[in-house]
Amino acid sequence: MIRALLSTVCVTACASAADGPPPSLSPAKAPSASEAPFTLADLPDLSSEEPTLLLERGPLTQGGLTFWKTEPGSEVFLDDQAIPVDGEGHFMAGFGRDHGVNAELLVVLPDGREVRRPLVIAGRSFPESRITIQDDTKVNPYSEEDLAQIAKERALKKQARDNRSRTSYWRAGFDWPARGRISGVFGSRRILNGSPRRPHSGVDVAAPSGTTPMEFQGTDVLAPTSGIVTLAQTDMFFEGGLIFIDHGQGLESALLHLSRVDVRPGQVVTKGQVVGAVGMTGRATGPHLHWTLNWQGQPLDPQLVVGPMTPTE
């Protein structure tokens, strides 16, 4: 029996990035942050039912990323959207923060047979996070110069994501890119300087930041799994120091607010390799690493992939 993961809901204390003035939030369905952590139910062992479609791990829940195996050469669709499959039949299926209760996997096997798997996606509760940003230009209407910079950076990020690798680098496994206090959680409803903003897209890890080249360089940030660096910038408007790592098959890590960037676009990195250092650049209220895990363009909960953080040695 595959066990679902346990996610601890806590109040965020850091400000993450966005591409621009976000839309208003949809009607809130999350309770207060004081609510107790949730526990996901057991997942079924699908091996006895569908030997051609095995759920290897991951929770069927909002914000969850699941890992599957099917026959090599198969085509796979999630809710009618084609998703990549590697040469050995491995693929991923993710469910956004607001995904509905129902989903379906369709596998078209090499011999033309179809396997359909209805999925029930568990709902979650998300806390509310109210944050005050001292530099209000990072939250409210921007100057023409700021807007031009934001537009330029948006195009730069889109270009970095245009060519996705089909190589399943993620099969190296996952680990935390930094260790420290969890200061912000995925999915929390954000109120910045009194205005609703997009829900928090990742997890924040508070840790010591870098200062000047002659002093402390900041807590190392590691690649959470292997992949190709597609973006490495030191001074983005919202994100500050920013790295994109393409883990293959539509999975990407975005590492934000870095004080130091040690990699370059096109560089292949391995799980655990140092790629930069924790900072408080961009829109941030304190030194921390913000880690967003995007799959097929939608953010998912990194904590459900790596599990609880173990103490540093």
Side-chain angles (χ1 to χ4, degrees), residues 38-281:
F38 69 92
T39 303
L40 302 175
D42 287 343
L43 296 173
D45 181 354
L46 302 184
S47 59
S48 61
E49 298 182 42
E50 302 282 6
T52 57
L53 179 58
L54 308 181
L55 174 56
E56 296 187 316
R57 63 188 176 92
L60 295 168
T61 186
Q62 291 173 329
L65 181 63
T66 54
F67 301 88
W68 301 74
K69 178 74 166 62
T70 188
E71 290 186 13
S74 298
E75 295 180 88
V76 177
F77 302 83
L78 174 64
D79 297 333
D80 298 323
Q81 178 185 3
I83 55 179
V85 184
D86 74 6
E88 297 180 25
H90 295 276
F91 67 93
M92 291 173 285
F95 313 99
R97 176 191 186 274
D98 300 313
H99 196 289
V101 67
N102 296 313
E104 183 183 67
L105 277 175
L106 167 62
V107 178
V108 181
L109 300 170
D111 62 8
R113 288 180 298 141
E114 294 185 355
V115 177
R116 293 184 180 271
R117 168 60 62 182
L119 305 175
V120 176
I121 309 305
R124 290 176 61 181
S125 296
F126 299 97
E128 181 180 279
S129 174
R130 292 182 175 270
I131 296 175
T132 298
I133 307 294
Q134 295 301 319
D135 183 358
D136 194 59
T137 64
K138 300 292 186 182
V139 180
N140 290 310
Y142 319 106
S143 67
E144 290 186 6
E145 182 181 359
D146 289 340
L147 290 172
Q149 180 181 350
I150 292 165
K152 180 180 179 180
E153 292 176 356
R154 184 182 294 116
L156 190 66
K157 288 180 279 189
K158 180 182 182 302
Q159 182 180 17
R161 290 165 167 157
D162 278 346
N163 297 310
R164 296 292 195 181
S165 174
R166 297 183 66 88
T167 302
S168 49
Y169 292 103
W170 57 266
R171 290 176 61 190
F174 297 84
D175 200 357
W176 285 93
R179 295 180 184 274
R181 177 176 59 88
I182 301 299
S183 57
V185 295
F186 171 84
S188 58
R189 295 175 293 130
R190 316 279 283 179
I191 310 296
L192 302 185
N193 291 8
S195 300
R197 290 295 186 258
R198 291 189 180 98
H200 196 225
S201 65
V203 61
D204 291 335
V205 180
S209 171
T211 51
T212 69
M214 298 302 294
E215 299 176 18
F216 176 60
Q217 291 294 292
T219 303
D220 283 341
V221 171
L222 315 177
T225 190
S226 300
I228 300 174
V229 176
T230 58
L231 186 69
Q233 296 288 317
T234 59
D235 191 24
M236 303 287 275
F237 185 86
F238 289 113
E239 300 94 343
L242 173 65
I243 295 173
F244 286 171
I245 304 176
D246 180 358
H247 303 303
Q249 296 184 294
L251 187 66
E252 171 199 86
S253 281
L255 306 170
L256 283 62
H257 308 307
L258 304 173
S259 64
R260 195 183 76 233
V261 172
D262 297 339
V263 291
R264 63 187 184 280
Q267 181 177 345
V268 176
V269 295
T270 57
K271 173 186 173 183
Q273 180 177 336
V274 175
V275 296
V278 171
M280 56 178 295
T281 56

